[in-house]
Amino acid sequence: MTGMWFGLAAIALAGAGALLYVDRTRRDQSGRVRQIWAKAQGYTYTGSDDQLAGEWHRAAMAKQDYLTATDVVRGTRRGEQFVLFDLEETATIVAVRREIGSDVDIDLRLKSTAPPKDGDLNLLGAIGPRVVFATDLEIARRVCDQRMVAFTESVPPALSMLWSEGRWTLGSLPVSSSGRDWDAAIEAVARLSGILHVLPPVTDPSELEVDHDPTRPRPRPDVSDAPAVSDSDAPVARDLPSAVRDVPRREAPDAPRREAPESQRREAPESQRRNAPAPAPTNTPKPGSGPQRSGTVRPVD
């Protein structure tokens, strides 16, 4: 009887070893397939990254920061950087990075998927075959236009969850996905990232305005509000260095006088006399005429 139990235990141990070997072989084969796919696309392949999973915390990445990202592929699609990796045996994640991040996060998932557990994500409603959650419903309502409707209807069903976090737009695939699924997933997440460019950018809390709508451009500053420059702001002589202030002013030298030729000097008096006006006649009183001063004695004939 004891020998039978030992035999069953040996069979179970051999079966477990065989399963581990098959799983290891499949994982290595999957890694080689992804490495070949990345090389053919011109992307960069890395076997594992211990810190990558801690970059995101929503949807499929919630409470998964302790896991190791394996078979990591990095590249550029539609002018934006992306990273694709396996979260061990949980899911395959595609993340596309935008140039400008946003404080508003959006979650699009299939109706058959459980709702997110994040407390700041609120239900907006259904759009196409998916349900939309957002941290700001008013802004998310503006984003969900006709482009978003067309996008949700064209997303591959393998992408069960799509969401955004800051500068990143992410999607989740089954681990058993193939190279064709990876291409379609990267394309879909990149399209969603382009749509989410309309989200308001991250702003400094000190620069927030109470009456400003973050989805609209800021008005240009009025030139009339610029501070006027007063006369007191103009530089004066006392502000200059003493070496410059004490320099004496130099007067321009007198221009040398040119003497006229001798012939002109001789003719000048005659022409001056000829052209000079005649002197005004002076009225000289005649003798014996005019008023007599009092007290004077006239001679007696």
Side-chain angles (χ1 to χ4, degrees):
M1 188 68 179
T2 304
M4 184 182 65
W5 287 112
F6 274 109
L8 292 175
I11 294 173
L13 183 61
L19 290 176
L20 289 175
Y21 175 78
V22 171
D23 181 71
R24 180 69 178 180
T25 303
R26 184 183 61 81
R27 183 177 300 179
D28 293 342
Q29 183 179 2
S30 176
R32 285 194 297 270
V33 170
R34 183 166 295 178
Q35 185 176 7
I36 295 172
W37 171 81
K39 185 177 180 180
Q41 301 287 340
Y43 304 145
T44 303
Y45 174 83
T46 305
S48 62
D49 191 331
D50 297 335
Q51 306 297 327
L52 186 60
E55 294 287 335
W56 307 282
H57 308 282
R58 294 189 184 276
M61 301 298 297
K63 299 180 180 180
Q64 303 290 344
D65 52 350
Y66 63 92
L67 297 178
T68 301
T70 59
D71 299 331
V72 183
V73 177
R74 291 181 173 87
T76 303
R77 177 71 66 91
R78 287 178 173 265
E80 295 181 334
Q81 299 177 1
F82 79 90
V83 56
L84 182 144
F85 60 93
D86 287 344
L87 199 59
E88 292 190 358
E89 297 298 326
T90 304
T92 298
I93 305 298
V94 178
V96 177
R97 185 178 183 272
R98 300 194 305 273
E99 290 295 331
I100 301 176
S102 177
D103 293 327
V104 180
D105 293 338
I106 294 180
D107 186 300
L108 293 89
R109 56 183 63 201
L110 293 173
K111 296 179 180 179
S112 58
T113 308
K117 297 180 180 180
D118 302 85
D120 57 343
L121 285 175
N122 302 311
L123 175 62
L124 177 62
I127 176 171
R130 296 180 179 266
V131 181
V132 182
F133 298 85
T135 56
D136 192 316
L137 297 180
E138 184 63 27
I139 295 177
R141 190 173 289 109
R142 300 176 186 177
V143 176
C144 295
D145 52 7
Q146 294 298 325
R147 291 193 307 162
M148 183 68 77
V149 174
F151 167 75
T152 56
E153 293 177 351
S154 63
V155 176
L159 275 170
S160 58
M161 287 186 286
L162 291 163
W163 74 98
S164 65
E165 288 191 48
R167 291 189 174 188
W168 293 89
T169 306
L170 301 96
S172 175
L173 286 166
V175 180
S176 59
S177 56
S178 61
R180 184 175 299 178
D181 297 329
W182 303 334
D183 286 325
I186 295 172
E187 184 70 19
V189 176
R191 285 179 56 196
L192 179 59
S193 178
I195 296 175
L196 297 183
H197 273 287
V198 299
L199 291 176
V202 177
T203 55
D204 188 358
S206 60
E207 298 179 357
L208 292 178
E209 298 179 5
V210 178
D211 299 333
H212 176 64
D213 187 352
T215 62
R216 300 183 180 276
R218 294 179 179 272
R220 295 183 178 180
D222 191 0
V223 180
S224 60
D225 296 338
V229 179
S230 60
D231 296 339
S232 60
D233 297 335
V236 293
R238 61 173 177 271
D239 296 334
L240 298 175
S242 59
V244 179
R245 189 171 60 247
D246 298 338
V247 174
R249 297 180 59 185
R250 296 182 179 179
E251 297 182 357
D254 296 337
R257 298 181 179 178
R258 297 179 59 185
E259 296 183 357
E262 185 177 357
S263 59
Q264 293 182 3
R265 289 199 304 270
R266 292 177 180 177
E267 295 176 357
E270 297 179 0
S271 61
Q272 291 177 1
R273 288 195 302 269
R274 189 180 303 113
N275 298 329
T282 57
N283 297 326
T284 55
K286 296 181 179 180
S289 63
Q292 298 292 331
R293 294 184 180 179
S294 60
T296 58
V297 180
R298 296 178 63 185
V300 178
D301 294 337

